[in-house]
Amino acid sequence: MLNSANNNFVQHTVTVSTEGNMNGYNRKSPQKRRYDMPKYAVPPKKKAGKERVPQPKNTVAMLNELRHGLIYKLESQTGPVHAPLFTISVEVDGQKYMGQGRSKKVARIEAAATALRSFIQFKDGAVLSPLKPAGNLDFTSDEHLENGIENVSIEQLVELIQTLMLPEMNSNLTSLEQPTLRPQIFCMSHNANKNTIAVDGQKKVPDKGPVMLLYELFNDVNFECMNIDGAQNNCRFKMTVTINDKKFDGTGPSKKLAKNAAAKAALASLCNISYSPMMAPQKNAPLPIDDKSSSMELPQIHADTIGRLVLEKFMEVIKGQEAYSRRKVLAGIVMTENMNFCEAKVISVSTGTKCVSGEHMSVNGAVLNDSHAEIVSRRCLLKYLYAQLDLQCNQATAYQSIFVRNTDGQYPYKLKSGVHFHLYINTAPCGDARIFSPHENDTGVDKHPNRKARGQLRTKIESGEGTIPVKSSDGIQTWDGVLQGQRLLTMSCSDKIARWNIVGIQGSLLSSIIEPVYLHSIVLGSLLHPEHMYRAVCGRIEKSIQGLPPPYHLNKPRLALVTSAEPRNQAKAPNFGINWTIGDTELEVVNSLTGRTIGGQVSRITKQAFFEKFGFLMKNLPGMPTRKVNKDYGETKADVKDYQTAKQELFSAFKREDLGSWLKKPIEQDQFGLVE
């Protein structure tokens, strides 16, 4: 018997070894045995009438499909230990719903059911509450007007919602407002944007990606790669998505990112759903909630329109001079009336990233000191404001002006009601707004809000890029010091935008004629970090600014990021910049290092040019209290008392916050008069 067992063991060993050698293996393979069945196994036949029926979802699962990321809280536990009564709440769209039960699970289901009942509504607001089985519901009857919503059992509610969520809508839904979204979103189609509202009332970015969400919301979604733009050695893909015969474009460095951008544009336009960083929950960020809006965010569809208009205008004005299309930073200003973006006008377009070299400073205001794109665009806006005031000099053209006579104020003129200006920059402005890691995961929260680099005033370096913090000094630069080799320093774009949000964008000269003009919004093409951007443009001085003469105030512009982000350009920045203002027949190209045009001429947006326009207005503009301009440029600016008071208060606010001293140019730059 022992020998027989040994023989069987030997035979089994030989068999396994042989099989291993046949398959190219020299060792045992214990897992081999489990695959000895036929290659294509025949599945067992299902018994008739025993097919598995999908289990119906409970109210918690349904609510989670409609609102993601909900949190259920145990409010209380009452009753004896052997028979407890649990009360659980769930907060949906800022509204709390309660449920009770003998177990936490039952209480959770009741809370979800209470929340779901609030979603099922007719377009006239009447609540739907059937008492009959949902399979035979007549949605056109008036029975829902007679029954209270509490009469619907959880089973009926689940069956009702499942009916609404079927791929084929019930034919009796004709009396309901037919949704353009898929049926599973029907219950909340009366407010498609509700699922993007956090419990604290602030919007949040949807949990799902834009492409996935778009496919869930719409049946007919078609993506197409239109063309590939390889300008500036950067490969750019353009995707177009078509939904219900409407087309939306998106661009990106890859097809995937371009597809995401197109989906974001479609969601913003059709559903008011935004993926902007401004939508992320701000746990510790100091973004305010003012009286007019619950957020600092400009609607995404408006931001995309602003970005598109500036880019299109740039491509239009650069035609014929493509040699100057090379750029790192592009900026522009768009004007709207009554927020009508269908008739928005591009006021200015500019490029540039450099400042004038100290040796080219001018004693008669004939050079551009700062050729950064956003600063140049603002100077182009000044040129436009002067032109609009020129229209007031002639009674026949006064009605065309964006300004009107101000009969009840200390300023002769003011903007027409509803006129707004929007600044677009293809990247974050230099200085405090971009001193952060572009790959921070927690885009809404600064882990180091108290570090010394936060909020500091910073200066640009002549003939170079980047900024450095100002030193704790009296903020004085001297003419002879710069000529002897000291670097000419210019305040960063972030600091200048913060200044505009106190004293306005109209400049000191025009401040004696018009009320302060403020930016309504700032749209970025890339690198928008909500907390850093807000701090840079207005947040760092909002607690310390005081004593501003009315109507000067701290302006808080809306912020936004376009859906098709600008790529990071690694090419070396050119030493030139372009500028164009509405009404110009051609663009102007300026050598950033000399501050003059490439032909050596004086630019049309210099201090000298504006002082001459100001002199003309003082002599010809109706309603001016004085006509004399007999002082030099610097003294004329100093005479605008309210403007100077607001500016000094700005400088004092930075000092009180220990953020440094504003660095001024040598005073000799402003000591020139009008040309006779």
Side-chain angles (χ1 to χ4, degrees):
M1 185 173 182
L2 183 61
N3 291 336
S4 175
N6 288 337
N7 291 336
N8 290 337
F9 175 77
V10 171
Q11 289 176 357
H12 175 68
T13 304
V14 171
T15 303
V16 172
S17 177
T18 303
E19 289 177 359
N21 290 334
M22 290 175 64
N23 288 280
Y25 295 97
N26 295 322
R27 60 181 179 85
K28 296 180 181 178
S29 180
Q31 291 81 7
K32 186 70 178 175
R33 286 183 158 281
R34 69 180 66 172
Y35 301 109
D36 287 339
M37 65 176 62
K39 187 173 183 181
Y40 299 102
V42 180
K45 293 183 179 180
K46 294 183 179 179
K47 295 181 180 180
K50 294 291 184 178
E51 290 188 6
R52 190 173 180 180
V53 179
Q55 294 296 318
K57 297 176 182 178
N58 62 27
T59 55
V60 175
M62 288 184 172
L63 186 60
N64 284 338
E65 286 189 3
L66 300 178
R67 301 285 194 278
H68 299 291
L70 297 178
I71 299 176
Y72 293 83
K73 294 182 180 179
L74 177 62
E75 296 287 341
S76 64
Q77 179 180 342
T78 58
V81 177
H82 66 279
L85 181 64
F86 297 95
T87 302
I88 285 182
S89 69
V90 60
E91 200 163 5
V92 183
D93 301 336
Q95 181 70 37
K96 185 178 286 188
Y97 302 94
M98 314 290 286
Q100 289 185 330
R102 291 298 181 185
S103 69
K104 292 180 181 178
K105 179 179 180 181
V106 173
R108 193 180 298 114
I109 291 175
E110 287 282 354
T114 305
L116 284 170
R117 288 188 184 103
S118 70
F119 296 153
I120 308 173
Q121 295 180 338
F122 280 90
K123 66 177 180 178
D124 61 0
V127 178
L128 180 65
S129 53
L131 294 176
K132 300 176 182 179
N136 299 316
L137 280 177
D138 181 9
F139 290 92
T140 62
S141 72
D142 294 329
E143 186 174 328
H144 63 278
L145 298 175
E146 303 171 0
N147 300 311
I149 187 67
E150 297 300 329
N151 293 330
V152 183
S153 67
I154 292 181
E155 291 76 13
Q156 290 173 325
L157 183 66
V158 169
E159 194 171 355
L160 168 64
I161 296 176
Q162 285 179 329
T163 302
L164 292 175
M165 294 174 72
L166 289 174
E168 296 84 12
M169 296 290 285
N170 192 303
S171 60
N172 292 325
L173 287 177
T174 53
S175 68
L176 291 169
E177 183 178 7
Q178 293 296 329
T180 57
L181 309 180
R182 282 190 174 184
Q184 61 262 37
I185 310 299
F186 169 77
C187 298
M188 56 180 178
S189 62
H190 63 283
N191 190 352
N193 198 30
K194 267 194 173 183
N195 64 336
T196 63
I197 307 293
V199 294
D200 59 354
Q202 197 166 23
K203 293 182 179 181
K204 65 176 183 178
V205 176
D207 298 327
K208 296 183 179 180
V211 177
M212 179 184 295
L213 185 58
L214 195 65
Y215 276 121
E216 286 188 4
L217 296 180
F218 298 94
N219 288 314
D220 188 17
V221 178
N222 297 306
F223 284 94
E224 182 181 1
C225 187
M226 298 295 291
N227 61 7
I228 300 175
D229 178 17
Q232 300 184 16
N233 298 321
N234 283 324
C235 189
R236 296 283 288 171
F237 294 89
K238 180 180 179 181
M239 298 291 289
T240 298
V241 59
T242 305
I243 303 171
N244 298 334
D245 297 327
K246 293 184 178 180
K247 295 183 181 294
F248 304 92
D249 295 331
T251 60
S254 67
K255 289 184 179 180
K256 179 180 179 180
L257 292 177
K259 193 174 184 180
N260 279 342
K264 289 177 183 178
L267 289 170
S269 177
L270 299 176
C271 306
N272 195 24
I273 295 176
S274 173
Y275 284 79
S276 167
M278 296 299 299
M279 303 282 282
Q282 309 293 324
K283 297 179 182 178
N284 301 318
L287 298 186
I289 297 179
D290 59 24
D291 296 332
K292 298 180 181 179
S293 174
S294 61
S295 122
M296 289 283 296
E297 179 230 0
L298 182 74
Q300 188 65 60
I301 187 172
H302 294 168
D304 289 340
T305 301
I306 291 169
R308 175 179 54 81
L309 288 174
V310 172
L311 287 169
E312 288 177 352
K313 181 59 68 173
F314 172 72
M315 298 305 295
E316 176 187 329
V317 301
I318 204 69
K319 284 183 179 178
Q321 299 196 54
E322 283 77 6
Y324 300 108
S325 65
R326 208 158 49 91
R327 46 94 179 175
K328 259 200 168 183
V329 180
L330 169 69
I333 291 179
V334 173
M335 184 183 74
T336 59
E337 294 189 42
N338 300 316
M339 296 300 286
N340 181 5
F341 283 85
C342 295
E343 299 181 4
K345 296 179 181 178
V346 179
I347 302 301
S348 64
V349 173
S350 59
T351 65
T353 54
K354 299 288 181 67
C355 292
V356 69
S357 175
E359 61 182 309
H360 292 288
M361 287 191 306
S362 172
V363 293
N364 56 7
V367 303
L368 284 180
N369 290 326
D370 191 341
S371 290
H372 281 232
E374 51 268 59
I375 308 303
V376 174
S377 265
R378 179 253 176 184
R379 296 196 69 81
C380 290
L381 174 62
L382 289 182
K383 180 170 176 283
Y384 175 72
L385 297 182
Y386 277 108
Q388 289 297 301
L389 285 170
D390 280 343
L391 295 175
Q392 289 286 347
C393 295
N394 187 339
Q395 192 173 359
T397 58
Y399 73 97
Q400 302 174 8
S401 174
I402 62 172
F403 292 104
V404 293
R405 292 287 294 271
N406 190 9
T407 56
D408 56 352
Q410 59 179 328
Y411 300 91
Y413 291 87
K414 64 179 180 179
L415 272 181
K416 285 181 179 177
S417 177
V419 175
H420 294 110
F421 295 104
H422 313 268
L423 172 65
Y424 170 79
I425 320 170
N426 72 332
T427 185
C430 68
D432 190 45
R434 61 187 305 150
I435 304 299
F436 65 91
S437 169
H439 299 291
E440 288 181 20
N441 293 326
D442 49 347
T443 54
V445 180
D446 184 6
K447 291 183 178 179
H448 309 285
N450 298 320
R451 63 188 300 179
K452 291 184 178 180
R454 297 287 187 252
Q456 290 288 317
L457 290 172
R458 304 176 72 89
T459 62
K460 309 164 187 172
I461 316 169
E462 73 171 54
S463 308
E465 294 184 79
T467 59
I468 56 174
V470 296
K471 296 180 180 179
S472 298
S473 64
D474 53 6
I476 293 178
Q477 296 187 91
T478 60
W479 187 276
D480 49 355
V482 172
L483 291 182
Q484 289 177 10
Q486 184 181 357
R487 277 193 160 184
L488 182 64
L489 301 178
T490 303
M491 298 305 296
S492 72
C493 292
S494 293
D495 299 332
K496 289 189 175 183
I497 293 175
R499 175 172 168 165
W500 301 343
N501 284 323
I502 293 292
V503 301
I505 54 179
Q506 74 287 339
S508 56
L509 293 181
L510 285 180
S511 295
S512 62
I513 301 176
I514 62 175
E515 288 186 353
V517 178
Y518 294 100
L519 290 173
H520 182 269
S521 68
I522 301 174
V523 179
L524 299 186
S526 63
L527 293 181
L528 172 64
H529 189 295
E531 185 177 0
H532 294 299
M533 185 67 184
Y534 174 77
R535 180 193 63 240
V537 300
C538 60
R540 49 186 165 162
I541 53 173
E542 65 179 337
K543 294 180 181 178
S544 59
I545 197 77
Q546 58 191 17
L548 293 174
Y552 290 93
H553 63 276
L554 174 62
N555 178 56
K556 297 177 180 179
R558 298 288 180 260
L559 305 174
L561 178 73
V562 297
T563 51
S564 295
E566 279 264 339
R568 179 168 173 262
N569 190 346
Q570 297 178 339
K572 185 178 180 180
N575 291 332
F576 60 80
I578 67 106
N579 69 77
W580 173 90
T581 310
I582 186 171
D584 289 342
T585 55
E586 58 182 18
L587 59 84
E588 181 180 76
V589 185
V590 175
N591 183 331
S592 304
L593 304 184
T594 65
R596 294 177 178 268
T597 67
I598 53 174
Q601 304 299 314
V602 177
S603 171
R604 56 197 179 192
I605 54 174
T606 58
K607 294 178 182 179
Q608 183 185 100
F610 290 155
F611 198 26
E612 291 176 1
K613 292 177 183 295
F614 175 76
F616 175 82
L617 289 178
M618 293 299 288
K619 292 179 181 179
N620 298 281
L621 197 60
M624 295 303 297
T626 179
R627 298 288 181 186
K628 293 183 179 180
V629 184
N630 53 12
K631 300 176 182 178
D632 69 8
Y633 180 77
E635 291 177 344
T636 304
K637 291 201 303 181
D639 281 346
V640 189
K641 300 301 182 184
D642 283 354
Y643 181 92
Q644 296 301 328
T645 301
K647 185 176 70 171
Q648 290 303 321
E649 176 52 35
L650 167 73
F651 298 162
S652 299
F654 279 117
K655 285 185 178 180
R656 283 194 290 269
E657 293 290 337
D658 195 27
L659 300 177
S661 299
W662 195 277
L663 208 56
K664 302 177 183 178
K665 290 286 195 308
I667 59 175
E668 290 83 359
Q669 279 201 339
D670 290 346
Q671 294 177 340
F672 64 92
L674 285 173
V675 179
E676 294 295 336

